[in-house]
Amino acid sequence: MARPLHFARSRLTVFPLEHLTVAYTTQSSDRRGLGDIAVVGVVEPEGATGEHLWRLAASMYANPPTGQVQARWILTQCTRARIVKAPAYRDLTNAEWTGDLTREFRLDDLFANHTVLCTGRLTIR
């Protein structure tokens, strides 16, 4: 089940990915605050959605990848962007954002400390 409209304040990593500008953050499924839910949203261009991320991930493989492979590719790009401090990347430590999250994908195993990937469109406020 997707989380259609989500308002939050958290650390956001904003980075270019091919023709998209993407924002990545984490949320927690319980009080432990483990950040086990990855939230990845397209910020720009106008009209682009989380489905563009999934199509981009699929285009990276010669044969059609499974959803698990696509999700891991998306998460790899996000963790890479958070670790690498390139000039085009922005790390917003306490950003307020709104997410129109249209896909919630459960990973079959823990990957990059995440069990769930939520994608959609993010607006930084």
Side-chain angles (χ1 to χ4, degrees), residues 88-125:
Y89 300 177
R90 293 182 292 152
D91 198 27
L92 309 174
T93 57
N94 192 26
E96 188 174 323
W97 55 271
T98 303
D100 183 9
L101 306 176
T102 54
R103 187 186 291 200
E104 183 175 305
F105 188 86
R106 185 156 300 278
L107 296 149
D108 55 10
D109 288 308
L110 187 68
F111 186 82
N113 200 46
H114 300 302
T115 56
V116 175
L117 170 60
C118 294
T119 58
R121 183 155 182 88
L122 257 63
T123 302
I124 303 168
R125 299 161 42 105

Side-chain angles (χ1 to χ4, degrees), residues 20-112:
L20 305 172
T21 299
V22 176
Y24 162 66
T25 190
T26 62
Q27 299 286 290
S28 298
S29 61
D30 60 29
R31 293 179 182 237
R32 294 176 296 168
L34 299 175
D36 54 315
I37 300 170
V39 177
V40 183
V42 175
V43 178
E44 294 176 341
E46 187 69 34
T49 68
E51 291 308 306
H52 289 84
L53 285 170
W54 291 91
R55 286 196 295 271
L56 179 59
S59 75
M60 296 295 143
Y61 298 90
N63 296 315
T66 66
Q68 293 293 323
V69 170
Q70 288 172 278
R72 289 192 296 269
W73 184 88
I74 292 167
L75 289 171
T76 298
Q77 305 316 305
C78 294
T79 55
R80 174 191 51 78
R82 186 158 278 187
I83 292 167
V84 174
K85 298 297 180 198
Y89 300 177
R90 293 182 292 152
D91 198 27
L92 309 174
T93 57
N94 192 26
E96 188 174 323
W97 55 271
T98 303
D100 183 9
L101 306 176
T102 54
R103 187 186 291 200
E104 183 175 305
F105 188 86
R106 185 156 300 278
L107 296 149
D108 55 10
D109 288 308
L110 187 68
F111 186 82

